[in-house]
Amino acid sequence: EARAKQLANDEREGRLLERDDVVLQVAEVVSMVRATLERMPNELESEIPANHRAQTVERLRDYVRLMLTRMSQHQFEWEKPTE
């Protein structure tokens, strides 16, 4: 009963966030991070000495792909099955 009252108070006072709103905002941030990471190798290419450029840019692309793969495999708490 105390928990229900606290939740009702929190809701009335605007201290709770709608789950769908949070999920949407997280998705927007993740999308922005992904786009930034994907652009990074090309944006840095001109700063890398010519004799190392091709190899370094390819390594950056590989690492970005690895990071994005790991991000895509992450399971948020709200996605995990409840017992």
Side-chain angles (χ1 to χ4, degrees):
E1 184 177 313
R3 178 168 159 68
K5 282 184 179 181
Q6 183 64 47
L7 283 173
N9 287 339
D10 288 347
E11 184 176 10
R12 187 174 46 253
E13 294 172 12
R15 288 187 278 192
L16 299 179
L17 301 172
E18 292 289 330
R19 176 184 171 160
D20 290 345
D21 292 341
V22 172
V23 170
L24 180 62
Q25 289 182 24
V26 168
E28 288 173 357
V29 169
V30 168
S31 179
M32 180 185 67
V33 168
R34 178 186 178 129
T36 302
L37 288 172
E38 288 174 335
R39 284 192 313 268
M40 186 180 59
N42 291 340
E43 289 184 10
L44 296 176
E45 187 172 6
S46 65
E47 298 178 31
I48 301 168
N51 58 331
H52 297 288
R53 189 171 295 148
Q55 179 183 5
T56 303
V57 168
E58 190 57 36
R59 287 189 67 202
L60 282 170
R61 287 188 180 122
D62 289 345
Y63 192 71
V64 166
R65 277 192 291 272
L66 175 63
M67 289 178 9
L68 292 174
T69 299
R70 287 179 179 167
M71 285 173 57
S72 72
Q73 294 170 347
H74 179 77
Q75 189 174 24
F76 291 97
E77 289 297 318
W78 64 72
E79 297 175 313
K80 294 179 182 176
T82 57
E83 295 177 24

